[in-house]
Amino acid sequence: MKKEASAKTWNTLRNITLVIILFIFIRYLFDEDPFNDRIGWSVLILFWTFKGLFDAVEDKRSGNKKSMVANIVFVIAGLGILLWQGIQFFLYK
């Protein structure tokens, strides 16, 4: 019973986090300032990075090691892209 409640709480927090990130993406991508499109796409990459991280944690819990490793590689690639975009943003602003 307690394990089910924990899983339900985890899924709720995961979904709330991902929905908030999607709303931020939509807000920045579809506004009138063209500079914010770059921020919007970076937030979308952040969304996919968080989703990969949450999926990796779920795969670890279920014992699916191959999928977990693939998700970790995906998260590392996403963080690398975000780091690269952040450096470009601050250097060329």
Side-chain angles (χ1 to χ4, degrees):
M1 178 77 176
K2 188 173 183 175
K3 197 169 192 174
E4 289 178 20
S6 175
K8 189 173 183 179
T9 304
W10 171 257
N11 285 335
T12 303
L13 291 174
R14 172 188 172 204
N15 290 336
I16 289 171
T17 304
L18 293 176
V19 166
I20 289 171
I21 292 173
L22 276 179
F23 281 142
I24 294 170
F25 161 70
I26 290 169
R27 182 184 184 286
Y28 276 109
L29 190 65
F30 296 114
D31 66 349
E32 295 175 1
D33 187 11
F35 177 72
N36 287 343
D37 291 348
R38 185 176 191 172
I39 297 171
W41 286 114
S42 296
V43 171
L44 184 64
I45 294 170
L46 182 71
F47 168 80
W48 287 111
T49 303
F50 270 109
K51 184 171 178 346
L53 183 64
F54 288 139
D55 289 343
V57 170
E58 277 187 28
D59 289 336
K60 180 169 175 40
R61 286 184 181 173
S62 65
N64 194 355
K65 290 185 180 183
K66 288 182 182 179
S67 181
M68 183 189 75
V69 170
N71 282 321
I72 294 295
V73 169
F74 187 68
V75 167
I76 291 170
L79 289 174
I81 291 171
L82 287 173
L83 181 67
W84 171 56
Q85 288 296 319
I87 290 171
Q88 279 189 343
F89 178 77
F90 287 115
L91 288 180
Y92 301 116
K93 189 173 183 183

